[in-house]
Amino acid sequence: MTIKEAKELFLKYDGSLFAMAREESLAYENYKLLNVSSETVQKWKQELFLDLWEQLKGNGSGDLFNRMYNLSEDKHDRNNLLILKEALYEVDYINLKVRASISETVLGRKVLSERSGMVFWAYDIGEEKIAKEFKDEKNIGDNVVTTLDVNLQEAAYDALGSSKGAVVVLEPDTGKILAMVSKPDFDPGSVAENWESLNTNEEAVLLNRVTQGHYVPGSTFKIVTALEYMRENPDVSSYSYNCTGEIDSGSNTIHCFGGKVHGTVDFRDSLAYSCNTSFSNMGQELDVEKFRQTTQELLFNSKLPSVLPYKKSSFTLSKDAGTAEKMMTAMGQGQTQVSPYHMALITSAIANGGTLMEPYLVNSVTNYKGVIIDENKPEKYKDLMTSSEAAELKDYMTSVVEYGTASVLSGQSYTAAGKTGTAEYSSDRDHSWFVGMSNVDHPDLAVSVIIEGSDGTAKAVNVAKKVFDAYY
């Protein structure tokens, strides 16, 4: 229960009262819905919380429950209070013999249950806040404490430089959003006076590219393809393919990036070298319906856990798709669209043994005295894959760093795993992608980076490296 909720329960007409238990108490739901008449509430406010204020505060005693009961003339209200009292006894969280005076409970002091020996907080409504409420005076605003890590936020911002794109960093085992950068950016302090120009800006500066950007995933999608191939072919260790640098599909020819010829590659090499022809070969063998099911489990075409506006990712491959479309989709160049945020969620789940934690951006809300009013705690969202699948993917992604396309991350003071990506969208420009994690055995960070319209000199993996370096 938050201070706001407690205040509402104490002061709201026809509302629930006697809100002293912490949210862990099973009694909470028992008395949350206890309704009493507005006349009784008025009497409590006038005769208990006002007239007896100084007396109760001064002597530090007085059974709040009994006073509430005695001031309730309505028979129905008295009966409800007795039900409340019994409910609280049953769960053994509050011993109503404890002196629950204003100075002990309403002001948020610790109260010790004589029956269970448990300590709980009757949340700090605060003498000052209550007094101002009754005087219709404004209270000092509360403080929002975000999950953002200032060092990581600055590192991500600086690393992206003048490039258009996005960076998002998550803590895999909690879901905390540690950094979120979208460029081009704007000054939030001057939105009102610059609204017209911001709203018509051709570079879409108001668009949060992290959650609302929609991009072809490029080779980062090979992680998804790899998962599906593993599911359909459990013995991936036997996979082998001879890369000649290109593969034909009807009238289409798919090339490996930069015209590279990788020669004979196994499953691990295919991901490490980001071999387009090998993944195209895998793609034409996949069961499309099973592939669609896997993408749905990874939240494509689905709601994403997000506290910010976002755009759903889309996977459109159908059972009627031709071989060329299947091959292009498998290597990440089909009609699939995804946000950097979504790719960060998938990477975070891989880092966290297959389990995606609920992402959150606000750590806590405190009053101006530093007392915590509300606090977010890590919560599981859902399992995107099994722990064994996550471990296997993480192992393959480690090879990308050890000898593959993200070797710039090898040999550091930390270990890393990930997947680079190049998403073609014009004849001379590509989007540069990287998704990955640091401290592979016990991942600290999961990152997703995209640089729009890269000319080949600006690489997303280098941005990720600067973020990792700032952390370690």
Side-chain angles (χ1 to χ4, degrees):
M1 181 163 35
T2 66
I3 289 181
K4 180 181 178 182
E5 291 169 336
K7 183 170 65 176
E8 289 175 350
L9 293 175
F10 269 108
L11 304 177
K12 183 180 179 181
Y13 286 95
D14 295 320
S16 307
L17 292 109
F18 206 69
M20 295 191 300
R22 192 181 172 102
E23 66 257 58
E24 286 88 353
S25 171
L26 297 177
Y28 180 61
E29 293 299 328
N30 291 339
Y31 62 79
K32 181 180 179 182
L33 300 177
L34 178 69
N35 292 314
V36 297
S37 64
S38 59
E39 290 79 12
T40 296
V41 179
Q42 278 282 47
K43 189 175 289 290
W44 284 352
K45 288 170 63 177
Q46 293 171 0
E47 298 188 41
L48 177 60
F49 294 128
L50 286 182
D51 297 346
L52 300 180
W53 181 276
E54 291 301 324
Q55 177 186 344
L56 287 171
K57 192 173 105 175
N59 61 29
S61 63
D63 189 327
L64 182 58
F65 177 88
N66 288 337
R67 291 176 182 274
M68 292 166 74
Y69 183 84
N70 292 333
L71 287 169
S72 305
E73 297 178 357
D74 185 273
K75 191 173 181 180
H76 176 264
D77 292 345
R78 283 193 167 197
N79 183 61
N80 279 345
L81 283 172
L82 290 175
I83 294 174
L84 163 65
K85 183 175 181 179
E86 184 63 28
L88 294 175
Y89 267 117
E90 284 180 4
V91 297
D92 201 27
Y93 263 76
I94 299 176
N95 183 346
L96 293 176
K97 293 180 182 179
V98 173
R99 296 303 183 186
S101 69
I102 296 255
S103 63
E104 291 171 333
T105 59
V106 178
L107 296 185
R109 307 299 195 266
K110 279 184 180 178
V111 179
L112 178 65
S113 169
E114 295 173 356
R115 293 179 65 198
S116 65
M118 297 186 69
V119 176
F120 67 93
W121 285 101
Y123 279 85
D124 186 1
I125 296 175
E127 177 181 352
E128 180 181 345
K129 280 197 170 186
I130 293 180
K132 286 188 175 183
E133 287 282 349
F134 286 121
K135 294 178 182 178
D136 289 326
E137 294 179 359
K138 289 185 177 180
N139 283 298
I140 299 175
D142 297 322
N143 302 310
V144 175
V145 182
T146 73
T147 58
L148 296 174
D149 182 306
V150 175
N151 290 332
L152 292 182
Q153 184 73 11
E154 289 181 347
Y157 185 88
D158 293 342
L160 203 54
S162 60
S163 300
K164 296 179 185 178
V167 183
V168 58
V169 184
L170 302 179
E171 191 171 66
D173 61 348
T174 66
K176 289 182 180 179
I177 299 173
L178 301 181
M180 181 179 285
V181 175
S182 175
K183 286 191 175 184
D185 57 349
F186 60 94
D187 180 4
S190 60
V191 171
E193 55 266 41
N194 297 324
W195 175 249
E196 186 174 346
S197 61
L198 289 173
N199 200 34
T200 57
N201 187 284
E202 293 183 357
E203 295 186 327
V205 296
L206 294 177
L207 180 75
N208 181 358
R209 283 165 162 79
V210 172
T211 59
Q212 296 172 306
H214 232 206
Y215 305 95
V216 175
S219 292
T220 60
F221 190 76
K222 288 172 182 171
I223 296 172
V224 179
T225 303
L227 176 60
E228 177 57 27
Y229 194 84
M230 285 160 46
R231 288 179 171 180
E232 293 189 33
N233 303 273
D235 185 22
V236 293
S237 61
S238 64
Y239 177 83
S240 181
Y241 177 77
N242 182 38
C243 169
T244 61
E246 63 182 41
I247 185 172
D248 292 329
S249 175
S251 59
N252 299 303
T253 300
I254 296 173
H255 299 272
C256 280
F257 184 73
K260 290 185 178 179
V261 177
H262 297 113
T264 301
V265 293
D266 59 14
F267 191 73
R268 180 183 299 275
D269 294 337
S270 297
L271 193 70
Y273 298 137
S274 198
C275 183
N276 288 342
T277 60
S278 180
F279 270 88
S280 297
N281 177 61
M282 293 181 208
Q284 63 184 341
E285 298 176 13
L286 295 178
D287 183 309
V288 173
E289 287 304 309
K290 290 181 179 179
F291 200 1
R292 285 186 62 84
Q293 179 60 37
T294 291
T295 60
Q296 288 174 9
E297 291 174 9
L298 296 180
L299 307 180
F300 283 84
N301 305 319
S302 305
K303 174 184 176 182
L304 298 179
S306 177
V307 295
L308 298 174
Y310 66 90
K311 198 164 186 178
K312 285 184 180 180
S313 297
S314 61
F315 180 84
T316 61
L317 192 67
S318 69
K319 62 181 180 180
D320 299 323
T323 301
E325 186 178 354
K326 290 171 64 176
M327 294 168 70
M328 292 291 288
T329 299
M331 58 170 279
Q333 283 293 157
Q335 299 301 312
T336 306
Q337 296 279 304
V338 69
S339 68
Y341 178 70
H342 188 179
M343 290 307 300
L345 297 183
I346 294 172
T347 306
S348 183
I350 295 171
N352 195 43
T355 299
L356 176 63
M357 302 299 287
E358 185 87 33
Y360 60 101
L361 193 55
V362 174
N363 198 53
S364 62
V365 178
T366 66
N367 65 18
Y368 76 101
K369 293 182 179 180
V371 176
I372 296 177
I373 299 170
D374 197 3
E375 186 174 22
N376 280 318
K377 297 179 181 179
E379 292 184 7
K380 175 181 175 179
Y381 181 69
K382 65 176 294 187
D383 291 328
L384 301 193
M385 63 194 74
T386 67
S387 58
S388 60
E389 289 172 336
E392 194 169 356
L393 282 176
K394 187 165 66 170
D395 181 41
Y396 294 137
M397 291 166 70
T398 300
S399 298
V400 177
V401 171
E402 289 178 345
Y403 64 89
T405 56
S407 59
V408 68
L409 292 173
S410 65
Q412 306 302 312
S413 61
Y414 51 85
T415 57
K419 183 69 192 77
T420 57
T422 303
E424 300 176 11
Y425 78 99
S426 72
S427 60
D428 61 344
R429 291 279 176 169
D430 303 314
H431 295 326
S432 177
W433 275 96
F434 179 77
V435 297
M437 67 195 76
S438 64
N439 193 26
V440 178
D441 289 339
H442 303 284
D444 298 313
L445 306 176
V447 64
S448 176
V449 181
I450 188 169
I451 298 177
E452 295 181 14
S454 172
D455 59 2
T457 58
K459 295 184 178 180
V461 66
N462 294 330
V463 173
K465 182 178 183 298
K466 290 181 179 179
V467 172
F468 291 157
D469 289 347
Y471 186 81
Y472 297 100

